[in-house]
């Protein structure tokens, strides 16, 4: 059903409420007669009364038509808002213009009787539409007054509401008050605002007073018997949220937060969905600003393939892609359970979108060729990969097969079957790699740059760091350990990583794909690096526990292939800005076609022989910046690179700060 169909349905539903419609007609009639009084010196004569009665149906018909035209009857009276005033202003303008035009058109016609005085038109327009809007505002006022007096849903006993303070008297705080106060089943009794903007102190928002700053929290919690604090700050940074959490912990009082603007903007939740503070909130990254026009052109009416569609990034990519009206989305996943899960979710959440779940291994050429031949994808997001660093240290051949050979296969098929765009998900671990996983993703980047010279398809890679909450990452592992009451295991007290949220990473991947001209390696601005130890301590505190007392933290030592610090750029890269301030292009030197063919041949021979030492040797020989440990000391070892190992470098500033 289209948007217009929805409005038409709501309009007819509104008309089935005759009392409301008749009230509108009555207001329009009264306003018209009152508008005539100044034009005839207040007292209506017989001639003017007869004229007004003849003109009345025509004027009311024009005004009602204008209301229908702008969708005014799709507005539910009890929820009328300031935004809806625009609708009535538009209807008033349309009807006024129509009546003025007709007045001059009918001056010299046989319908001279129907022409209205200009003064009558202007006065009637203001009174009529002002009266209609006032009627709806009165209806909302009565509804909210009734709900407030009842304080509980019909048929239920009165709810005991928790006394609460809202931190943040801005736009989000005001919206929260309106939604919470207007709900009959609301659990909170808002007793005041707290805001560090001193100009707001003593003022009120939606009838709720601003009682002080965050420094007054302890006193206000005690004086007002507050049981809960709700953080509702506009575009709050992670350090601000952390500061409020620390204040609440010290008081102590329970603290919760409204969803981030990023979550609300993409339709996941509403402001009233107050929830516990999560580690993502402390990251405090700004909402992603997307070029929707560019993305619509990139994805609209296209067949889009997502490999690894059951994974953390792959599944979120699919959710984001649905916002841009693709013709269909091919879900490529070899894990049956994960494919079933994402397929079930998508069917429930996006019933109008077309999804094709396809069980397939991206390294299986006959199966993938069959899929390309049948569906001819226009855009491909290649998210399937082996990504766990310690596991790939023990399974290097599998890392080559999946991350290198399969990427080359999918990329080659994209070119052969005429796909327009190919976007590969890379990693910050491809920079100066010390692990099999990172080195294999760097080789994959080289492979797609080579494919970009061979086919008309535009091939790009997008490189970023860790995503919070992805399968097998530290956040779910830490959460599981906390739930079991076990010590949290951290490899090293100085270990740092770059982090972003899954939705943010996915949105920027889409944007980078749309920006790509072919051959680029895009680098996402990951912000400041985060210490894993700080992450662990924050998660313990957010669970209402105390680090080292309720939950211990143990250091296990750096594992094979891991770095102490991650980087996002290779030494000597020139970073170029794009239209999106969070996306950069790394100007990275390419390899010749012969070099690429030779390295693929060397890897193939080493994998076929299952020679672990040979695989590691090939990595070190073809990637001068790599320092892959060779377990077999008898195997040849290349001379060390001129630059120092990356573990000896301090963490870099974010791209935007350099």
């Amino acid at each position: 059903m289209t948007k217009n169909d929805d409005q038409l349905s709501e309009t007819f539903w509104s008309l089935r409420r005759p009392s409301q419609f008749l009230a509108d007609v009555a207001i329009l009639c009264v306003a018209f007669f009152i508008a005539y009084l100044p034009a005839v010196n207040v007292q209506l004569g017989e001639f003017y009364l007869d004229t007004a009665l003849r003109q009345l149906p025509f004027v009311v018909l024009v005004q009602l038509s204008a209301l229908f035209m702008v969708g005014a009857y799709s507005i539910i009276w009890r929820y009328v808002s300031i935004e809806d005033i625009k609708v009535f202003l538009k209807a008033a303008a349309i009807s006024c213009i129509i009546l003025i035009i007709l007045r001059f058109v009918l001056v010299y016609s046989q319908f001279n009787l129907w022409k209205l005085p200009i003064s009558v038109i202007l006065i009637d327009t203001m009174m009529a539409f002002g009266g209609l809007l006032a009627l709806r505002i009165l209806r909302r006022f009565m509804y909210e007054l009734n709900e407030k007096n009842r304080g509980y849903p019909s048929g239920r006993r009165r709810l005991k509401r928790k006394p609460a303070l809202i931190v943040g008297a801005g736009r989000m705080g005001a919206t929260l008050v309106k939604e919470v106060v207007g709900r009959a089943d609301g659990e909170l009794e808002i007793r005041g605002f707290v805001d560090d903007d001193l100009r707001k102190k003593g003022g009120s928002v939606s009838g709720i007073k601003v009682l002080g700053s965050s420094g007054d929290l302890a006193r206000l919690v005690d004086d007002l018997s507050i049981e809960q604090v709700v953080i509702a700050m506009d575009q709050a940074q992670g350090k601000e949220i952390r500061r409020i959490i620390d204040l609440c912990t010290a008081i102590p009082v329970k603290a919760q937060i409204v969803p981030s603007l990023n979550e609300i903007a993409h339709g996941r939740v509403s402001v009233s969905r107050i929830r516990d503070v999560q580690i993502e909130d402390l990251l405090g990254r700004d909402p992603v600003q997307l070029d929707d026009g560019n993305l619509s052109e990139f994805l609209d009416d296209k067949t889009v393939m997502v490999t690894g569609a059951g994974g953390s990034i792959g599944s979120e990519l699919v959710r984001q892609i649905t916002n841009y009206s693709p013709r269909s989305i091919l879900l490529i996943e070899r894990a049956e359970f994960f494919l079933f899960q994402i397929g079930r979710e998508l069917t429930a959440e996006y019933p109008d979108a077309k999804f094709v779940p396809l069980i397939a291994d991206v390294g299986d050429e006959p199966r993938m060729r069959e899929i390309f031949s049948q569906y001819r994808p226009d855009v491909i997001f290649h998210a399937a990969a082996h990504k766990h660093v310690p596991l790939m240290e023990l399974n290097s051949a599998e890392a080559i097969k999946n991350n290198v050979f399969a990427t080359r296969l999918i990329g080659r098929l994209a070119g052969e079957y005429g796909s327009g765009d190919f976007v590969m998900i890379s990693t910050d671990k491809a920079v100066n790699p010390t692990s099999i996983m990172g080195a294999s993703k760097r080789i994959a980047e080289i492979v797609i740059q080579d494919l970009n010279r061979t086919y008309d398809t535009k091939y790009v890679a997008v490189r970023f760091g860790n995503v919070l909450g992805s399968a097998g990452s530290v956040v779910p592992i830490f959460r599981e350990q906390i739930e079991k009451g076990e010590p949290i295991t951290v490899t090293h007290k100085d270990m740092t990583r770059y982090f972003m949220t899954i939705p943010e990473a996915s949105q920027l991947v889409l944007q980078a794909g749309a920006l790509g001209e072919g051959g680029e390696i895009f680098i996402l601005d990951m912000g400041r690096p985060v210490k894993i130890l700080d992450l662990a301590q924050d998660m313990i505190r957010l669970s209402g526990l105390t680090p080292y007392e309720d939950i211990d933290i143990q250091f296990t030592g750096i594992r094979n292939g891991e770095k102490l610090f991650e980087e996002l750029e290779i030494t000597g890269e020139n970073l170029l800005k794009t239209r999106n301030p969070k996306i950069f292009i790394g100007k990275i030197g390419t390899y010749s076609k012969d070099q690429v063919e030779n390295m693929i041949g060397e890897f193939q021979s080493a994998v076929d022989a299952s020679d672990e030492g040979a695989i590691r040797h090939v990595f070190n020989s073809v990637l001068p910046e790599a320092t892959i440990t060779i377990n077999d000391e008898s195997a040849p070892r290349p001379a060390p690179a001129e630059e120092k190992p990356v573990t000896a470098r301090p963490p870099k500033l974010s791209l935007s700060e350099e």
Side-chain angles (χ1 to χ4, degrees):
M1 181 178 286
T2 65
K3 184 178 179 181
N4 290 335
D5 292 334
D6 289 339
Q7 288 185 347
L8 189 61
S9 174
E10 290 175 355
T11 297
F12 286 131
W13 180 79
S14 176
L15 289 178
R16 287 201 294 269
R17 294 170 293 177
S19 60
Q20 294 183 1
F21 182 70
L22 290 176
D24 281 353
V25 173
I27 287 177
L28 295 177
C29 293
V30 171
F32 180 73
F33 279 110
I34 293 176
Y36 244 115
L37 293 180
V40 293
N41 297 320
V42 180
Q43 187 175 3
L44 284 173
E46 182 178 342
F47 171 77
Y48 287 104
L49 182 60
D50 181 64
T51 301
L53 287 172
R54 288 174 179 269
Q55 294 171 344
L56 177 64
F58 168 69
V59 173
V60 171
L61 180 61
V62 170
Q63 292 171 333
L64 288 174
S65 299
L67 289 168
F68 280 114
M69 190 182 305
V70 299
Y73 280 101
S74 65
I75 300 171
I76 301 175
W77 288 26
R78 70 179 65 175
Y79 300 125
V80 67
S81 65
I82 292 177
E83 189 68 22
D84 296 326
I85 294 177
K86 297 177 184 178
V87 175
F88 285 88
L89 289 176
K90 189 184 297 184
I94 291 173
S95 67
C96 184
I97 291 171
I98 291 174
L99 292 173
I100 290 176
I101 291 174
L102 290 176
R103 184 209 184 278
F104 288 106
V105 169
L106 299 175
V107 167
Y108 301 107
S109 71
Q110 58 180 327
F111 300 104
N112 187 50
L113 178 66
W114 301 99
K115 68 185 180 68
L116 291 165
I118 296 294
S119 61
V120 172
I121 294 175
L122 296 177
I123 295 173
D124 179 41
T125 298
M126 288 188 291
M127 296 190 65
F129 289 93
L132 294 179
L133 191 57
L135 182 64
R136 284 154 174 77
I137 292 174
L138 178 63
R139 174 68 180 89
R140 172 168 177 167
F141 174 76
M142 297 300 295
Y143 170 75
E144 292 186 355
L145 182 63
N146 183 49
E147 291 296 306
K148 187 174 181 180
N149 288 336
R150 287 192 303 165
Y152 55 92
S154 177
R156 299 183 186 178
R157 60 185 177 86
R158 177 178 288 274
L159 294 173
K160 183 180 180 181
R161 299 173 185 260
K162 295 180 182 178
L165 285 175
I166 297 179
V167 179
R171 178 164 54 93
M172 186 171 286
T175 303
L176 176 62
V177 167
K178 291 178 182 177
E179 292 197 22
V180 171
V181 172
R183 292 177 64 93
D185 57 349
E187 297 180 356
L188 300 180
E189 178 190 341
I190 308 300
R191 294 191 175 178
F193 280 102
V194 168
D195 198 294
D196 288 334
D197 186 348
L198 297 180
R199 294 170 299 178
K200 296 179 181 178
K201 186 174 181 179
S204 65
V205 178
S206 298
I208 306 295
K209 291 197 67 175
V210 181
L211 303 175
S213 66
S214 58
D216 300 313
L217 263 178
R219 175 181 59 81
L220 292 172
V221 166
D222 185 52
D223 292 347
L224 302 176
S225 301
I226 299 299
E227 297 180 19
Q228 187 164 326
V229 170
V230 181
I231 304 171
M233 297 185 291
D234 298 338
Q235 298 184 0
Q237 296 296 312
K239 61 182 180 181
E240 283 298 306
I241 298 175
R242 186 190 305 274
R243 185 176 66 84
I244 300 300
I245 293 295
D246 289 344
L247 287 172
C248 293
T249 302
I251 291 173
V253 64
K254 181 177 177 60
Q256 290 190 303
I257 194 169
V258 300
S260 68
L261 290 176
N262 200 35
E263 293 175 277
I264 296 169
H266 291 86
R268 293 183 182 85
V269 287
S270 65
V271 172
S272 61
R273 285 292 189 91
I274 300 168
R275 57 167 171 76
D276 290 336
V277 179
Q278 299 171 356
I279 196 65
E280 290 86 347
D281 299 311
L282 300 186
L283 187 64
R285 297 179 65 86
D286 295 331
V288 175
Q289 301 298 323
L290 296 177
D291 183 350
D292 285 331
N294 195 22
L295 283 172
S296 293
E297 182 180 350
F298 182 49
L299 298 171
D300 182 47
D301 199 33
K302 302 285 182 64
T303 297
V304 182
M305 172 187 286
V306 179
T307 69
S312 305
I313 293 294
S315 59
E316 183 62 25
L317 279 172
V318 173
R319 297 183 193 99
Q320 300 289 341
I321 290 168
T322 56
N323 297 321
Y324 299 98
S325 306
R327 185 185 310 122
S328 63
I329 305 179
L330 311 178
L331 311 178
I332 309 299
E333 176 60 63
R334 70 178 180 181
E336 178 188 19
F337 176 70
F338 292 135
L339 184 61
F340 169 76
Q341 275 191 319
I342 186 62
R344 184 175 64 172
E345 175 194 330
L346 295 172
T347 301
E349 295 293 328
Y350 309 97
D352 296 329
K354 181 180 179 182
F355 303 98
V356 184
L358 298 165
I359 294 181
D361 187 326
V362 288
D364 183 347
E365 181 169 356
R367 173 60 172 152
M368 294 310 303
R369 188 173 291 277
E370 174 192 356
I371 292 172
F372 271 87
S373 176
Q374 181 176 353
Y375 295 101
R376 304 277 174 165
D378 301 296
V379 181
I380 298 160
F381 291 95
H382 183 45
H386 287 324
K387 65 177 184 177
H388 296 285
V389 171
L391 276 179
M392 292 308 101
E393 291 300 304
L394 300 174
N395 299 275
S396 59
E398 294 305 311
I400 298 295
K401 291 178 187 177
N402 203 35
N403 294 357
V404 178
F405 295 164
T407 296
R408 190 166 186 250
L409 170 62
I410 301 299
R412 193 175 73 244
L413 291 176
E416 291 177 7
Y417 286 91
S419 300
D421 297 270
F422 182 98
V423 183
M424 186 197 83
I425 308 299
S426 189
T427 172
D428 58 354
K429 293 172 179 61
V431 185
N432 298 318
T434 60
S435 66
I436 293 294
M437 195 283 281
S440 66
K441 295 298 281 187
R442 176 69 189 118
I443 298 296
E445 292 177 349
I446 294 170
V447 164
I448 68 158
Q449 286 183 312
D450 177 62
L451 291 170
N452 192 67
R453 295 193 296 258
T454 306
Y455 298 101
D456 292 333
T457 302
K458 293 186 291 186
Y459 298 83
V460 301
V462 184
R463 184 189 290 173
F464 54 89
N466 299 274
V467 287
L468 286 170
S470 63
S473 65
V474 294
V475 170
I477 291 174
F478 287 174
R479 186 176 293 124
E480 180 182 353
Q481 290 173 330
I482 292 170
E483 289 174 353
K484 292 181 177 179
E486 299 174 348
I488 283 185
T489 52
V490 176
T491 54
H492 192 283
K493 64 182 181 65
D494 294 323
M495 179 78 71
T496 64
R497 290 292 182 267
Y498 290 97
F499 285 101
M500 61 171 37
T501 64
I502 294 175
E504 180 185 8
S506 301
Q507 291 157 22
L508 290 174
V509 166
L510 293 185
Q511 190 74 81
L515 292 172
E517 296 295 331
E520 300 99 335
I521 294 179
F522 289 101
I523 300 171
L524 305 187
D525 181 358
M526 297 292 295
R528 290 181 176 274
V530 177
K531 290 185 69 171
I532 302 301
L533 177 58
D534 291 342
L535 190 72
Q537 292 173 341
D538 285 336
M539 290 191 65
I540 294 172
R541 292 190 186 99
L542 290 177
S543 300
L545 304 172
T546 303
Y548 304 107
E549 293 181 10
D550 301 312
I551 298 290
D552 195 15
I553 298 177
Q554 297 178 354
F555 300 98
T556 59
I558 297 177
R559 297 171 295 185
N560 288 339
E562 284 188 328
K563 302 177 185 178
L564 197 57
F565 309 110
E566 295 289 7
E567 295 180 292
L568 286 173
E569 58 171 310
I570 293 175
T571 302
E573 290 181 19
N574 296 312
L575 295 178
L576 301 179
K577 294 181 179 180
T578 67
R579 294 197 301 270
N580 191 302
K582 290 190 175 184
I583 302 175
F584 296 79
I585 300 174
K587 299 297 291 182
I588 304 170
T590 59
Y591 285 60
S592 70
K593 185 166 288 294
D594 287 341
Q595 286 177 311
V596 175
E597 290 298 329
N598 288 336
M599 74 170 64
I600 293 298
E602 290 184 50
F603 277 122
Q604 188 68 65
S605 298
V607 169
D608 289 344
S610 298
D611 190 335
E612 176 77 16
I615 291 173
R616 292 173 178 270
H617 171 65
V618 174
F619 273 127
N620 285 323
S621 65
V622 300
L623 297 176
E625 72 273 19
T627 52
I628 307 299
T629 302
I630 298 178
N631 298 325
D632 183 1
E633 295 299 330
S634 64
R637 184 77 180 269
E642 292 183 3
E643 55 187 359
K644 296 179 181 180
V646 70
T647 52
R649 299 186 184 122
K652 290 179 175 288
L653 295 175
S654 69
L655 298 174
S656 60
E657 295 170 326
E658 291 188 328

